[in-house]
Amino acid sequence: MAEDKPKPRPIIRIGLFLISHSLLVSVVCCTAGVLSLLLLPVLGKNTYISENALMPGSARPMLSNDDVSEGERFMNQILRFDTMNTGMEIPEMITAHIMDLGGEVSHHKFLPQFNKFHPLHFFLGPDAGTIPENYSCSSYGINTVGIIRAPRGDGKEAIVLVTPYNSLKITRAEALSLGIAYALFSLLAQVTWLSKDIVWLAADSRHGEYTAVASWLRDYHTASFGDLKHSEICAASNLSKMETMHNSFRHAGTMAAALVIKVTNRSTEFEKDALTIYAEASNGQMPNLDLINIVNYLAVHAQGYRVKVEKIWSLLNVWWLKSLGQLIEMLGKLAGSLNPQWNFGIPVSEYVECTATLASSLYNQALGVPTGPHGAFRDYQVDAITMEISPKFSSSLNNRQYEILLHVGRLVEGVVRSVNNLLEKFHQSFFLYLLTSPSRFVSVGVYMIAFALLVAPLPLVAASLFSDATKSNPDAEEDKSASKPASTLQPAPTFTSWKWLYAAKQVLVVHLWSAIVTLLPYFVDQIPDSSPTTKLSIWIVLSIITLLFLDSFSGSSFPSTIRSRDTEWILLKSVTVAATFIGLCLMSVINFATAEIGALFLVPMCLTAVPLRLDNKVNTLRALIRGACNVIFIFVGFPVTVFFVLKGALEGFDNMRFGDFWNWAESLWAWNSATYIYMCMVHLPCWVLCIQTLLHRF
């Protein structure tokens, strides 16, 4: 009697059920993923301070009127150099004032850097960039660094205050930010409660704010200083005696946090002075949420500022977003009437504004480009933000400088006090989050649900396609019947089909081609006197030629017969979907926001890809709709099209040029953004493989 076959385990039966119903699972998961993404503003939680040691606002501000008056006099002295000068007057004056306060001072010199595309640029640490050969001593930017040693500390930790300014043409707003830092620096030089050193970096932004801060940080964290040899030559030639005396590089302790203080002339649309917080760093990195929380708490409750974060203003007037907000508000009220604990609805205006802020946070993280000079600190695992103060009227900057000095100075003092209380680095609160407002956030455990639902159908569809291709393969049945022995012995198990290896080979060739496409700009950028449009055109033409050459050289097509051609595209789609799933999951580890936006484009394109000739043979309404959707997804999924769609949605479609995509790609590799790697090595090969599936011949 034949033995009964053992039943598979429940988990295996569930997997087989999901694979057999992959179409239904795909529709449900993709719909739920998009809806959960739209519901993130509703699921956001109020921010809270996790680290009890911070204790913001527990002490009365010590910044006095005398300190503010000193800062105002310092600011007025700086404004005397508002005409074109050599750039040395302001650093010398800052040096003299820091020495009068008893602080240590040093100068850091740096040259402008040009970030050229390099093949290994994305796999290295913070890059020193390319220093121009034809430099002069006047090309140097000069950062002035003042240090106060903590009377209760051991010199192992420090808090950094950064005030960018243009030493060649300083504005009143930049002078005001320097005055704020000096007023606070003069206070901190006298207090006895400091347990962390205070570093004041007056960053010379003649070559850019980020360049000034990044150059100083690179030399601070390395033993060798790249510009030291050239700076010594300049120091011996035409620098002043005071500047030469303080040419040695000084260090403080490990940086616990950093604050970039900026004052802008832009007026706000509110009745209060506004404080804008910029937190995004490279590749979606964010500072610890507690740092934003203490700034928001002190600014709102202690100084009366209106705190805001960036938002996409064009989304505020989208009709379907308002309609969705009204539906959510109505459902929330209905649920609240049934059970008061189910009252999850929020007003329509709040939902739209939170969505616009969430979209901005998601976009800035996906772009991978820092939103300010604070981004340079995250490359060294230092929590940092940029605080930009905007008066309620642009003309009030001249008349209210004393008031701004007082309020901003006390705000920064409160933040310094809180960070000074820490016994260790920020670690209690979140590092992975999306902001929906300055006081609301979505944590990683919530926003990952949307991404997981979007990509969940991919492995199920890949397994289902492979199973269907194996079952319907006529060649496999012939091989199986021909291999049966004449004897009555049990035949040895054999593999039904190896044709998936040809699909895997084709997918591998396309991904190798994508690696070549990733490196092509290194050579295209060497062409002199060429416009961005020309470079982009050359990049596209070389990519097409390379793809055709690799395809013909590798012979990656299926060596199949007419009867088995029906399964070729199924195997190709199966391996393509599996490779896309792996690529998106890997990208989610590096930069979740990029993977989330990429999944919105790639998942529908992969799941619906079917040969157009097959739809033409069926000739039904369903096939016609599917074919039209495939064409739309392929058009919208092209990386150049994705760029222009996103740019048009954010900035409008006016003044768009074809070469803007090259400028965007160039900015990605200049900022070391992993989004460039994703675009070339995940998104582009998936798009090409989907086109091959659509154009498959029977």
Side-chain angles (χ1 to χ4, degrees), residues 618-638:
V618 177
N619 197 18
T620 60
L621 179 61
R622 177 184 175 184
L624 180 63
I625 295 175
R626 184 172 59 186
C629 291
N630 282 326
V631 174
I632 293 174
F633 288 150
I634 287 295
F635 175 74
V636 176
F638 183 47

Side-chain angles (χ1 to χ4, degrees), residues 15 26 53 58 72 141 158 198 246 270 320 406 419 452 539 637 668 692:
S26 300
S58 59
E72 191 173 21
I198 300 297
H246 302 283
F270 310 112
W320 64 266
L406 178 63
V419 178
W539 189 15
L668 290 182
Q692 292 184 359

